[in-house]
Amino acid sequence: MIGNSNASEPDVILVGAGIMSATLGTVLKELEPTLNIVLFETLHDCALESSEGWNNAGTGHAANCELNYTPQRPDGSVDISKALEVNTEFDLSRQLWSFLVTKGAIPDPGAFINACPHMSFVWGAGNVAFLRQRFKEMSAHHCYHGMEYSEDRSKIATWAPLIMDGRDDKEPFAATRMITGSDVDYGALTHLLVKHLSHQPGFDVHYNRKVVGLDREQDGRWRVSVEDTNDGGASTMTAKFVFIGAGGGALPLLQKSKIPEGKGYGGFPVSGIWLRCDVDTISNRHHAKVYGKAAVGSPPMSVPHLDERIIGGKRSLLFGPYAGFSTRFLKHGELTDLFESLTFENIIPLLDVARDNFRLAEYLVGQVLQSSNQQLATLKQFFPRAVKKDWKEAVAGQRVETIKPIESKGRLKHEEGELEFGTELVVAEDKSLVALLGASPGASTAAFITVEVLEKCFDKGLATGGWRDRLKTIIPTYGIDLKKDAVATRNIRAKTAAVLKLENI
Ligand SMILES: Cc1cc2nc3c(=O)[nH]c(=O)nc-3n(C[C@H](O)[C@H](O)[C@H](O)COP(=O)(O)OP(=O)(O)OC[C@H]3O[C@@H](n4cnc5c(N)ncnc54)[C@H](O)[C@@H]3O)c2cc1C
């Protein structure tokens, strides 16, 4: 155990030591320093699952470059509403991190975040027309102030030389760039947050402790049963509030809680493979994250991208992800995870989703069967002069996409389901437990998700007792719609860019 709390009956139990629990714990302690918080983690350290640096792509998702957030309408116009949501959600994370850097809780922002331009790159006449239209609509909005567009070879080559080197001119191509983007090592950030929490009174983190049961006591508290993964020893603890931030492990725990709100949810695991290049002469020539267009039938998180990564001070390149399939819900999980999650209530929604998502299944099978030469061919679409020997395979984190029963007239229909690629908070009616399902846009929206948890479960605290004012110190634009307020957006971006050492325009 690491920490300073003697509480055997804490106020809050956080399950899982990834970026989500670390962020919620950090904000709760800022709002109410007297809270007793206990964090349980199955593994021997924090951030060893999806939040670990190489298990995700480290994009500070501001929807600058991810084309799946800006679908084209049948009339050719582009819908940027989803992109604006994601874009301004990331502003909350920037504010929280700036607050922590300014107060000295995080000594050096460069330990977890670095400036990295975000680019979209497409080829083929249809895709170029789409990107041109997307640029027209996005650059007209204050949130995308400074976005650049080019169809010019030499211009794009100055932005990202690797993608132009050796490319022929047979097909038209185009790119956009936002120089305000970032690369984030969410693993390093999680470590920094947990370290900061561990220095505070009233916080304990218990590693090698797997939460195996969640039962309601008569007084409304949650009895959390925990297994010691070293010796199999069992213990329990009760808390008023439980946050299930267990990543892929969240669905089984939600099922164990037996809250009616969790009924019918299922999960579909998607694993991923990266190609990684640590050759300095190559990685030093690529200072951007370059996102392309997703293949037909692919899930949104499988959009291929060629990224600069800075992890532990070392610059590398990452390309992918190539989707895979594993029945595990966590990288360190069990092959039986998917089967054990099947219940009487979620089997029909799951089968319904399987029937309606044939193209996804087809895509996944195609990806799993890809040879290393086929993988290289996909990489060469982005980096024509890529050579196989410079790249090695790395297994990415595991995602569990949420399958939820369809809601109709306020009631759940358990005979139909839909596949959700976003994140979803499932909240107990009495607000004493919340589970975070899904993994997209992901780590970059941890602050936004934290605010959502506060609003859904700690609404009384937010209304009284000064929490609201304190939250506004941490997130100064809390309560302001940045999508509508150009002045607030410009000001807060300038401030957070200066603290986090990012580009500002
Ligand atoms: C391939 C890939 C690429 C991604 N790219 C990006 C990106 O570019 N940008 C972005 O913002 N997001 C990205 N994401 C998403 C992001 O990684 C996740 O949304 C985020 O890391 C989830 O954090 P978490 O804390 O919820 O889960 P995790 O980091 O997975 O942590 C959950 C923790 O809970 C623990 N746990 C599980 N069950 C139990 C239990 N029963 N008891 C105790 N502990 C338990 C696990 O061991 C783990 O440590 C990506 C994800 C993947 C897989």
Side-chain angles (χ1 to χ4, degrees):
M1 181 188 84
I2 304 165
N4 306 301
S5 160
N6 292 320
S8 56
E9 295 195 331
D11 303 299
V12 173
I13 288 181
L14 307 171
V15 186
I19 187 66
M20 297 300 177
S21 290
T23 304
L24 178 62
T26 301
V27 173
L28 281 173
K29 284 298 270 182
E30 289 296 334
L31 296 177
E32 195 67 65
T34 58
L35 276 181
N36 271 304
I37 302 182
V38 168
L39 170 57
F40 288 115
E41 167 57 48
T42 308
L43 302 174
H44 68 275
D45 202 353
C46 59
L48 291 175
E49 283 287 344
S50 289
S51 302
E52 193 268 338
W54 281 106
N55 281 347
N56 62 72
T59 305
H61 282 295
N64 294 325
C65 52
E66 304 88 343
L67 300 177
N68 52 303
Y69 294 137
T70 49
Q72 191 159 24
R73 299 189 187 95
D75 67 358
S77 64
V78 174
D79 179 359
I80 67 166
S81 54
K82 173 72 182 161
L84 285 170
E85 295 289 342
V86 177
N87 181 265
T88 49
E89 283 171 14
F90 189 57
D91 283 301
L92 305 195
S93 288
R94 284 174 56 141
Q95 291 176 68
L96 168 64
W97 302 338
S98 299
F99 168 81
L100 293 168
V101 171
T102 307
K103 80 174 256 182
I106 295 181
D108 171 20
F112 75 94
I113 189 165
N114 284 281
C116 177
H118 285 185
M119 290 176 59
S120 306
F121 178 65
V122 296
W123 53 89
N127 290 336
V128 169
F130 160 71
L131 196 68
R132 201 184 298 128
Q133 180 64 24
R134 178 184 184 269
F135 166 72
K136 196 175 148 201
E137 297 187 32
M138 289 180 103
S139 57
H141 195 282
H142 65 264
C143 283
Y144 290 101
H145 165 73
M147 186 179 251
E148 300 164 272
Y149 175 84
S150 182
E151 294 174 24
D152 178 68
R153 163 178 286 279
S154 51
K155 180 81 176 170
I156 300 173
T158 62
W159 294 349
L162 296 188
I163 64 171
M164 282 295 124
D165 218 0
R167 183 175 300 276
D168 62 38
D169 286 325
K170 274 194 227 139
E171 279 193 300
F173 42 73
T176 55
R177 180 172 82 146
M178 284 291 284
I179 62 159
T180 52
S182 59
D183 175 61
V184 186
D185 179 348
Y186 293 106
L189 177 61
T190 306
H191 277 273
L192 288 162
L193 297 179
V194 173
K195 188 173 170 196
H196 172 57
L197 278 167
S198 302
H199 288 148
Q200 298 176 54
F203 178 83
D204 291 332
V205 51
H206 300 258
Y207 290 121
N208 299 308
R209 295 291 185 283
K210 180 174 182 176
V211 172
V212 290
L214 288 160
D215 297 286
R216 186 89 77 155
E217 298 278 273
Q218 285 205 327
D219 62 0
R221 292 175 72 87
W222 285 96
R223 176 157 297 278
V224 178
S225 305
V226 182
E227 184 187 286
D228 183 327
T229 57
N230 289 325
D231 61 15
S235 59
T236 66
M237 205 178 257
T238 70
K240 276 188 261 180
F241 176 76
V242 174
F243 174 67
I244 307 178
L251 176 67
L253 288 174
L254 174 65
Q255 291 173 334
K256 285 194 167 109
S257 77
K258 297 192 188 69
I259 59 169
E261 294 76 11
K263 269 196 186 158
Y265 279 89
F268 180 76
V270 178
S271 54
I273 304 281
W274 305 120
L275 289 181
R276 168 180 170 176
C277 169
D278 295 319
V279 181
D280 292 342
T281 47
I282 300 172
S283 56
N284 286 336
R285 293 183 65 212
H286 188 68
H287 177 48
K289 286 177 178 283
V290 181
Y291 276 62
K293 266 209 120 178
V296 173
S298 66
M301 71 283 183
S302 295
V303 174
H305 44 101
L306 179 64
D307 288 20
E308 173 188 42
R309 296 303 322 270
I310 298 179
I311 296 185
K314 159 112 182 84
R315 186 187 294 264
S316 304
L317 298 187
L318 165 156
F319 180 77
Y322 302 91
F325 181 71
S326 156
T327 50
R328 288 188 169 90
F329 276 0
L330 290 158
K331 223 171 148 173
H332 298 91
E334 304 291 335
L335 284 169
T336 51
D337 286 346
L338 174 61
F339 310 107
E340 284 174 5
S341 76
L342 300 179
T343 66
F344 180 66
E345 279 109 2
N346 69 18
I347 188 84
I348 305 288
L350 218 121
L351 290 173
D352 185 53
V353 163
R355 192 196 56 208
D356 290 350
N357 287 271
F358 179 69
R359 288 179 103 182
L360 170 63
E362 214 178 27
Y363 167 81
L364 289 176
V365 171
Q367 289 270 296
V368 172
L369 295 179
Q370 259 193 358
S371 66
S372 61
N373 282 341
Q374 285 168 316
Q375 286 182 345
L376 184 70
T378 315
L379 168 61
K380 277 173 169 262
Q381 292 177 345
F382 282 76
F383 174 13
R385 292 208 196 281
V387 177
K388 202 170 178 178
K389 70 170 175 44
D390 296 328
W391 296 79
K392 60 184 177 204
E393 256 190 38
V395 180
Q398 191 75 352
R399 295 191 211 233
V400 178
E401 304 306 337
T402 310
I403 291 171
K404 59 186 280 193
I406 288 178
E407 201 169 319
S408 169
K409 294 181 189 144
R411 297 191 55 188
L412 292 180
K413 289 162 66 183
H414 288 285
E415 64 278 13
E416 287 176 51
E418 60 189 353
L419 190 58
E420 282 262 310
F421 290 109
T423 44
E424 168 132 8
L425 286 172
V426 183
V427 184
E429 195 185 7
D430 68 353
K431 305 169 186 174
S432 63
L433 179 140
V434 53
L436 176 64
L437 303 180
S440 241
S444 45
T445 55
F448 171 77
I449 287 164
T450 289
V451 168
E452 266 199 302
V453 172
L454 295 176
E455 287 175 344
K456 285 182 195 254
C457 302
F458 295 87
D459 47 337
K460 280 197 190 132
L462 267 187
T464 56
W467 276 35
R468 198 182 170 83
D469 292 342
R470 258 172 269 157
L471 190 58
K472 277 189 80 74
T473 316
I474 303 167
I475 299 175
T477 67
Y478 178 64
I480 298 173
D481 186 351
L482 291 179
K483 298 188 292 299
K484 295 192 179 136
D485 193 329
V487 175
T489 306
R490 198 165 50 242
N491 289 343
I492 202 66
R493 288 191 180 170
K495 274 189 192 149
T496 54
V499 176
L500 299 174
K501 303 193 176 122
L502 302 176
E503 296 290 341
N504 189 47
I505 28 171

mmCIF file of all heavy atoms in Angstrom, residues 294-332:
data_model
loop_
_atom_site.group_PDB
_atom_site.id
_atom_site.type_symbol
_atom_site.label_atom_id
_atom_site.label_comp_id
_atom_site.label_asym_id
_atom_site.label_seq_id
_atom_site.Cartn_x
_atom_site.Cartn_y
_atom_site.Cartn_z
ATOM 1 N N ALA A 294 -10.374 6.231 -43.042
ATOM 2 C CA ALA A 294 -10.564 4.842 -42.624
ATOM 3 C C ALA A 294 -10.981 3.977 -43.803
ATOM 4 O O ALA A 294 -11.646 4.453 -44.730
ATOM 5 C CB ALA A 294 -11.650 4.782 -41.551
ATOM 6 N N ALA A 295 -10.572 2.693 -43.748
ATOM 7 C CA ALA A 295 -11.009 1.756 -44.783
ATOM 8 C C ALA A 295 -12.505 1.496 -44.630
ATOM 9 O O ALA A 295 -13.047 1.619 -43.528
ATOM 10 C CB ALA A 295 -10.241 0.450 -44.630
ATOM 11 N N VAL A 296 -13.152 1.128 -45.733
ATOM 12 C CA VAL A 296 -14.598 0.863 -45.701
ATOM 13 C C VAL A 296 -14.896 -0.253 -44.693
ATOM 14 O O VAL A 296 -14.234 -1.281 -44.677
ATOM 15 C CB VAL A 296 -15.085 0.461 -47.102
ATOM 16 C CG1 VAL A 296 -16.549 0.020 -47.075
ATOM 17 C CG2 VAL A 296 -14.893 1.620 -48.062
ATOM 18 N N GLY A 297 -15.874 -0.006 -43.812
ATOM 19 C CA GLY A 297 -16.299 -1.030 -42.854
ATOM 20 C C GLY A 297 -15.503 -1.019 -41.569
ATOM 21 O O GLY A 297 -15.842 -1.715 -40.620
ATOM 22 N N SER A 298 -14.425 -0.237 -41.520
ATOM 23 C CA SER A 298 -13.573 -0.270 -40.325
ATOM 24 C C SER A 298 -14.196 0.554 -39.203
ATOM 25 O O SER A 298 -14.891 1.529 -39.456
ATOM 26 C CB SER A 298 -12.192 0.270 -40.658
ATOM 27 O OG SER A 298 -12.282 1.636 -40.983
ATOM 28 N N PRO A 299 -13.920 0.176 -37.948
ATOM 29 C CA PRO A 299 -14.419 0.992 -36.839
ATOM 30 C C PRO A 299 -13.647 2.304 -36.789
ATOM 31 O O PRO A 299 -12.507 2.361 -37.257
ATOM 32 C CB PRO A 299 -14.116 0.129 -35.611
ATOM 33 C CG PRO A 299 -13.051 -0.814 -36.034
ATOM 34 C CD PRO A 299 -13.173 -0.993 -37.508
ATOM 35 N N PRO A 300 -14.256 3.383 -36.254
ATOM 36 C CA PRO A 300 -13.633 4.703 -36.325
ATOM 37 C C PRO A 300 -12.238 4.749 -35.724
ATOM 38 O O PRO A 300 -11.392 5.511 -36.164
ATOM 39 C CB PRO A 300 -14.578 5.608 -35.541
ATOM 40 C CG PRO A 300 -15.722 4.791 -35.119
ATOM 41 C CD PRO A 300 -15.576 3.412 -35.640
ATOM 42 N N MET A 301 -11.972 3.916 -34.681
ATOM 43 C CA MET A 301 -10.654 4.034 -34.049
ATOM 44 C C MET A 301 -9.578 3.328 -34.854
ATOM 45 O O MET A 301 -8.427 3.292 -34.443
ATOM 46 C CB MET A 301 -10.682 3.511 -32.609
ATOM 47 C CG MET A 301 -10.805 2.037 -32.464
ATOM 48 S SD MET A 301 -12.489 1.531 -32.771
ATOM 49 C CE MET A 301 -12.389 -0.201 -32.460
ATOM 50 N N SER A 302 -9.933 2.758 -36.012
ATOM 51 C CA SER A 302 -8.922 2.073 -36.815
ATOM 52 C C SER A 302 -8.406 2.931 -37.960
ATOM 53 O O SER A 302 -7.761 2.438 -38.868
ATOM 54 C CB SER A 302 -9.499 0.774 -37.371
ATOM 55 O OG SER A 302 -9.778 -0.081 -36.308
ATOM 56 N N VAL A 303 -8.703 4.229 -37.922
ATOM 57 C CA VAL A 303 -8.182 5.139 -38.940
ATOM 58 C C VAL A 303 -6.652 5.079 -38.897
ATOM 59 O O VAL A 303 -6.056 5.252 -37.840
ATOM 60 C CB VAL A 303 -8.628 6.588 -38.615
ATOM 61 C CG1 VAL A 303 -7.990 7.568 -39.573
ATOM 62 C CG2 VAL A 303 -10.132 6.690 -38.622
ATOM 63 N N PRO A 304 -5.995 4.805 -40.042
ATOM 64 C CA PRO A 304 -4.531 4.721 -39.996
ATOM 65 C C PRO A 304 -3.879 6.089 -39.790
ATOM 66 O O PRO A 304 -4.353 7.084 -40.339
ATOM 67 C CB PRO A 304 -4.184 4.143 -41.372
ATOM 68 C CG PRO A 304 -5.338 4.474 -42.239
ATOM 69 C CD PRO A 304 -6.545 4.587 -41.380
ATOM 70 N N HIS A 305 -2.838 6.123 -38.997
ATOM 71 C CA HIS A 305 -2.115 7.390 -38.817
ATOM 72 C C HIS A 305 -0.643 7.156 -38.547
ATOM 73 O O HIS A 305 -0.252 6.160 -37.932
ATOM 74 C CB HIS A 305 -2.749 8.255 -37.722
ATOM 75 C CG HIS A 305 -3.154 7.548 -36.467
ATOM 76 N ND1 HIS A 305 -2.405 7.586 -35.315
ATOM 77 C CD2 HIS A 305 -4.222 6.785 -36.177
ATOM 78 C CE1 HIS A 305 -3.005 6.874 -34.377
ATOM 79 N NE2 HIS A 305 -4.113 6.366 -34.870
ATOM 80 N N LEU A 306 0.153 8.106 -39.015
ATOM 81 C CA LEU A 306 1.608 8.055 -38.849
ATOM 82 C C LEU A 306 1.975 9.167 -37.871
ATOM 83 O O LEU A 306 1.834 10.345 -38.181
ATOM 84 C CB LEU A 306 2.290 8.288 -40.208
ATOM 85 C CG LEU A 306 3.809 8.289 -40.206
ATOM 86 C CD1 LEU A 306 4.375 6.934 -39.805
ATOM 87 C CD2 LEU A 306 4.340 8.670 -41.596
ATOM 88 N N ASP A 307 2.440 8.752 -36.695
ATOM 89 C CA ASP A 307 2.568 9.705 -35.593
ATOM 90 C C ASP A 307 3.976 9.860 -35.071
ATOM 91 O O ASP A 307 4.671 8.862 -34.845
ATOM 92 C CB ASP A 307 1.770 9.203 -34.371
ATOM 93 C CG ASP A 307 0.279 9.311 -34.538
ATOM 94 O OD1 ASP A 307 -0.170 9.397 -35.684
ATOM 95 O OD2 ASP A 307 -0.421 9.296 -33.517
ATOM 96 N N GLU A 308 4.334 11.082 -34.794
ATOM 97 C CA GLU A 308 5.486 11.313 -33.931
ATOM 98 C C GLU A 308 5.069 10.938 -32.497
ATOM 99 O O GLU A 308 3.962 11.256 -32.071
ATOM 100 C CB GLU A 308 5.845 12.800 -33.965
ATOM 101 C CG GLU A 308 6.920 13.181 -32.982
ATOM 102 C CD GLU A 308 7.127 14.686 -32.897
ATOM 103 O OE1 GLU A 308 6.133 15.452 -32.894
ATOM 104 O OE2 GLU A 308 8.289 15.097 -32.841
ATOM 105 N N ARG A 309 5.905 10.211 -31.781
ATOM 106 C CA ARG A 309 5.653 9.936 -30.357
ATOM 107 C C ARG A 309 6.887 10.363 -29.567
ATOM 108 O O ARG A 309 8.019 10.096 -29.967
ATOM 109 C CB ARG A 309 5.441 8.426 -30.101
ATOM 110 C CG ARG A 309 4.241 7.767 -30.752
ATOM 111 C CD ARG A 309 2.903 8.382 -30.401
ATOM 112 N NE ARG A 309 2.732 8.829 -29.027
ATOM 113 C CZ ARG A 309 2.266 8.075 -28.025
ATOM 114 N NH1 ARG A 309 1.958 6.839 -28.250
ATOM 115 N NH2 ARG A 309 2.116 8.582 -26.823
ATOM 116 N N ILE A 310 6.647 10.999 -28.441
ATOM 117 C CA ILE A 310 7.771 11.312 -27.544
ATOM 118 C C ILE A 310 7.456 10.652 -26.211
ATOM 119 O O ILE A 310 6.555 11.081 -25.478
ATOM 120 C CB ILE A 310 7.975 12.825 -27.411
ATOM 121 C CG1 ILE A 310 8.320 13.384 -28.797
ATOM 122 C CG2 ILE A 310 9.104 13.127 -26.406
ATOM 123 C CD1 ILE A 310 8.526 14.860 -28.860
ATOM 124 N N ILE A 311 8.178 9.582 -25.937
ATOM 125 C CA ILE A 311 7.924 8.816 -24.715
ATOM 126 C C ILE A 311 9.247 8.671 -23.967
ATOM 127 O O ILE A 311 10.243 8.215 -24.538
ATOM 128 C CB ILE A 311 7.301 7.449 -25.049
ATOM 129 C CG1 ILE A 311 5.933 7.675 -25.704
ATOM 130 C CG2 ILE A 311 7.162 6.580 -23.797
ATOM 131 C CD1 ILE A 311 5.116 6.477 -25.988
ATOM 132 N N GLY A 312 9.235 9.104 -22.723
ATOM 133 C CA GLY A 312 10.457 9.075 -21.916
ATOM 134 C C GLY A 312 11.560 9.905 -22.560
ATOM 135 O O GLY A 312 12.743 9.532 -22.475
ATOM 136 N N GLY A 313 11.195 11.000 -23.232
ATOM 137 C CA GLY A 313 12.183 11.895 -23.835
ATOM 138 C C GLY A 313 12.693 11.408 -25.187
ATOM 139 O O GLY A 313 13.420 12.114 -25.871
ATOM 140 N N LYS A 314 12.314 10.203 -25.608
ATOM 141 C CA LYS A 314 12.806 9.661 -26.889
ATOM 142 C C LYS A 314 11.755 9.848 -27.985
ATOM 143 O O LYS A 314 10.576 9.559 -27.785
ATOM 144 C CB LYS A 314 13.136 8.174 -26.695
ATOM 145 C CG LYS A 314 13.183 7.345 -27.951
ATOM 146 C CD LYS A 314 14.594 6.863 -28.278
ATOM 147 C CE LYS A 314 14.655 6.064 -29.568
ATOM 148 N NZ LYS A 314 14.771 6.834 -30.782
ATOM 149 N N ARG A 315 12.221 10.323 -29.146
ATOM 150 C CA ARG A 315 11.314 10.519 -30.277
ATOM 151 C C ARG A 315 11.264 9.240 -31.116
ATOM 152 O O ARG A 315 12.302 8.710 -31.518
ATOM 153 C CB ARG A 315 11.855 11.666 -31.133
ATOM 154 C CG ARG A 315 10.966 12.109 -32.263
ATOM 155 C CD ARG A 315 11.732 13.118 -33.100
ATOM 156 N NE ARG A 315 11.995 14.327 -32.331
ATOM 157 C CZ ARG A 315 11.238 15.420 -32.386
ATOM 158 N NH1 ARG A 315 10.198 15.457 -33.168
ATOM 159 N NH2 ARG A 315 11.541 16.481 -31.676
ATOM 160 N N SER A 316 10.058 8.736 -31.371
ATOM 161 C CA SER A 316 9.879 7.537 -32.203
ATOM 162 C C SER A 316 8.719 7.786 -33.155
ATOM 163 O O SER A 316 8.054 8.820 -33.077
ATOM 164 C CB SER A 316 9.529 6.317 -31.337
ATOM 165 O OG SER A 316 10.496 6.093 -30.359
ATOM 166 N N LEU A 317 8.469 6.833 -34.032
ATOM 167 C CA LEU A 317 7.295 6.912 -34.902
ATOM 168 C C LEU A 317 6.391 5.716 -34.653
ATOM 169 O O LEU A 317 6.866 4.619 -34.315
ATOM 170 C CB LEU A 317 7.696 6.924 -36.376
ATOM 171 C CG LEU A 317 8.546 8.071 -36.881
ATOM 172 C CD1 LEU A 317 8.681 7.997 -38.394
ATOM 173 C CD2 LEU A 317 7.958 9.416 -36.485
ATOM 174 N N LEU A 318 5.130 5.955 -34.840
ATOM 175 C CA LEU A 318 4.142 4.891 -34.665
ATOM 176 C C LEU A 318 3.225 4.924 -35.869
ATOM 177 O O LEU A 318 2.859 5.997 -36.344
ATOM 178 C CB LEU A 318 3.394 5.190 -33.366
ATOM 179 C CG LEU A 318 2.095 4.528 -32.978
ATOM 180 C CD1 LEU A 318 1.975 4.597 -31.465
ATOM 181 C CD2 LEU A 318 0.919 5.237 -33.597
ATOM 182 N N PHE A 319 2.883 3.746 -36.398
ATOM 183 C CA PHE A 319 1.916 3.690 -37.494
ATOM 184 C C PHE A 319 0.887 2.605 -37.185
ATOM 185 O O PHE A 319 1.214 1.536 -36.689
ATOM 186 C CB PHE A 319 2.584 3.388 -38.831
ATOM 187 C CG PHE A 319 1.579 3.330 -39.949
ATOM 188 C CD1 PHE A 319 1.055 4.501 -40.468
ATOM 189 C CD2 PHE A 319 1.121 2.120 -40.444
ATOM 190 C CE1 PHE A 319 0.085 4.465 -41.471
ATOM 191 C CE2 PHE A 319 0.156 2.071 -41.449
ATOM 192 C CZ PHE A 319 -0.355 3.247 -41.967
ATOM 193 N N GLY A 320 -0.324 2.858 -37.515
ATOM 194 C CA GLY A 320 -1.384 1.886 -37.309
ATOM 195 C C GLY A 320 -2.644 2.624 -36.908
ATOM 196 O O GLY A 320 -2.798 3.787 -37.245
ATOM 197 N N PRO A 321 -3.529 2.007 -36.147
ATOM 198 C CA PRO A 321 -3.422 0.618 -35.711
ATOM 199 C C PRO A 321 -3.988 -0.342 -36.747
ATOM 200 O O PRO A 321 -4.889 0.009 -37.513
ATOM 201 C CB PRO A 321 -4.303 0.611 -34.460
ATOM 202 C CG PRO A 321 -5.350 1.651 -34.724
ATOM 203 C CD PRO A 321 -4.714 2.684 -35.599
ATOM 204 N N TYR A 322 -3.424 -1.554 -36.751
ATOM 205 C CA TYR A 322 -4.022 -2.664 -37.479
ATOM 206 C C TYR A 322 -4.910 -3.359 -36.451
ATOM 207 O O TYR A 322 -4.430 -3.716 -35.367
ATOM 208 C CB TYR A 322 -2.943 -3.627 -37.970
ATOM 209 C CG TYR A 322 -1.917 -2.956 -38.858
ATOM 210 C CD1 TYR A 322 -0.763 -2.400 -38.319
ATOM 211 C CD2 TYR A 322 -2.127 -2.871 -40.233
ATOM 212 C CE1 TYR A 322 0.171 -1.772 -39.131
ATOM 213 C CE2 TYR A 322 -1.188 -2.240 -41.046
ATOM 214 C CZ TYR A 322 -0.044 -1.696 -40.491
ATOM 215 O OH TYR A 322 0.870 -1.072 -41.287
ATOM 216 N N ALA A 323 -6.157 -3.514 -36.785
ATOM 217 C CA ALA A 323 -7.067 -4.114 -35.797
ATOM 218 C C ALA A 323 -6.800 -5.604 -35.670
ATOM 219 O O ALA A 323 -6.285 -6.244 -36.588
ATOM 220 C CB ALA A 323 -8.508 -3.867 -36.215
ATOM 221 N N GLY A 324 -7.125 -6.140 -34.522
ATOM 222 C CA GLY A 324 -6.982 -7.574 -34.308
ATOM 223 C C GLY A 324 -8.180 -8.068 -33.523
ATOM 224 O O GLY A 324 -9.096 -7.295 -33.235
ATOM 225 N N PHE A 325 -8.163 -9.311 -33.193
ATOM 226 C CA PHE A 325 -9.268 -9.823 -32.384
ATOM 227 C C PHE A 325 -8.733 -10.715 -31.279
ATOM 228 O O PHE A 325 -7.892 -11.586 -31.495
ATOM 229 C CB PHE A 325 -10.264 -10.606 -33.241
ATOM 230 C CG PHE A 325 -11.411 -11.116 -32.427
ATOM 231 C CD1 PHE A 325 -12.358 -10.232 -31.929
ATOM 232 C CD2 PHE A 325 -11.518 -12.460 -32.109
ATOM 233 C CE1 PHE A 325 -13.406 -10.687 -31.145
ATOM 234 C CE2 PHE A 325 -12.575 -12.925 -31.322
ATOM 235 C CZ PHE A 325 -13.523 -12.026 -30.850
ATOM 236 N N SER A 326 -9.178 -10.443 -30.075
ATOM 237 C CA SER A 326 -8.837 -11.294 -28.941
ATOM 238 C C SER A 326 -10.057 -11.268 -28.039
ATOM 239 O O SER A 326 -10.751 -10.251 -27.960
ATOM 240 C CB SER A 326 -7.633 -10.713 -28.213
ATOM 241 O OG SER A 326 -7.628 -11.164 -26.879
ATOM 242 N N THR A 327 -10.325 -12.365 -27.389
ATOM 243 C CA THR A 327 -11.505 -12.390 -26.515
ATOM 244 C C THR A 327 -11.191 -11.815 -25.136
ATOM 245 O O THR A 327 -12.041 -11.807 -24.254
ATOM 246 C CB THR A 327 -12.034 -13.833 -26.376
ATOM 247 O OG1 THR A 327 -10.927 -14.670 -26.023
ATOM 248 C CG2 THR A 327 -12.669 -14.315 -27.663
ATOM 249 N N ARG A 328 -9.931 -11.325 -24.947
ATOM 250 C CA ARG A 328 -9.576 -10.679 -23.674
ATOM 251 C C ARG A 328 -10.178 -9.282 -23.606
ATOM 252 O O ARG A 328 -10.210 -8.569 -24.615
ATOM 253 C CB ARG A 328 -8.061 -10.537 -23.547
ATOM 254 C CG ARG A 328 -7.331 -11.831 -23.298
ATOM 255 C CD ARG A 328 -5.859 -11.537 -23.003
ATOM 256 N NE ARG A 328 -5.209 -12.741 -22.520
ATOM 257 C CZ ARG A 328 -4.620 -13.638 -23.300
ATOM 258 N NH1 ARG A 328 -4.591 -13.445 -24.607
ATOM 259 N NH2 ARG A 328 -4.070 -14.714 -22.786
ATOM 260 N N PHE A 329 -10.569 -8.842 -22.413
ATOM 261 C CA PHE A 329 -11.065 -7.478 -22.233
ATOM 262 C C PHE A 329 -9.942 -6.524 -21.823
ATOM 263 O O PHE A 329 -10.102 -5.307 -21.855
ATOM 264 C CB PHE A 329 -12.178 -7.439 -21.182
ATOM 265 C CG PHE A 329 -13.546 -7.779 -21.742
ATOM 266 C CD1 PHE A 329 -13.715 -8.087 -23.081
ATOM 267 C CD2 PHE A 329 -14.668 -7.759 -20.929
ATOM 268 C CE1 PHE A 329 -14.964 -8.390 -23.605
ATOM 269 C CE2 PHE A 329 -15.928 -8.056 -21.434
ATOM 270 C CZ PHE A 329 -16.082 -8.374 -22.779
ATOM 271 N N LEU A 330 -8.837 -7.076 -21.353
ATOM 272 C CA LEU A 330 -7.670 -6.269 -20.984
ATOM 273 C C LEU A 330 -6.452 -6.962 -21.579
ATOM 274 O O LEU A 330 -6.477 -8.183 -21.785
ATOM 275 C CB LEU A 330 -7.516 -6.192 -19.464
ATOM 276 C CG LEU A 330 -8.563 -5.368 -18.707
ATOM 277 C CD1 LEU A 330 -8.628 -5.808 -17.242
ATOM 278 C CD2 LEU A 330 -8.261 -3.872 -18.777
ATOM 279 N N LYS A 331 -5.370 -6.217 -21.802
ATOM 280 C CA LYS A 331 -4.158 -6.841 -22.333
ATOM 281 C C LYS A 331 -3.677 -7.935 -21.374
ATOM 282 O O LYS A 331 -3.218 -8.982 -21.787
ATOM 283 C CB LYS A 331 -3.083 -5.757 -22.475
ATOM 284 C CG LYS A 331 -2.314 -5.830 -23.758
ATOM 285 C CD LYS A 331 -1.438 -4.605 -23.915
ATOM 286 C CE LYS A 331 -0.182 -4.972 -24.672
ATOM 287 N NZ LYS A 331 0.645 -3.808 -25.007
ATOM 288 N N HIS A 332 -3.804 -7.661 -20.076
ATOM 289 C CA HIS A 332 -3.417 -8.655 -19.075
ATOM 290 C C HIS A 332 -4.635 -9.460 -18.604
ATOM 291 O O HIS A 332 -4.630 -10.002 -17.500
ATOM 292 C CB HIS A 332 -2.777 -7.978 -17.857
ATOM 293 C CG HIS A 332 -1.522 -7.242 -18.197
ATOM 294 N ND1 HIS A 332 -1.512 -5.907 -18.564
ATOM 295 C CD2 HIS A 332 -0.236 -7.653 -18.255
ATOM 296 C CE1 HIS A 332 -0.266 -5.534 -18.818
ATOM 297 N NE2 HIS A 332 0.524 -6.561 -18.643
#
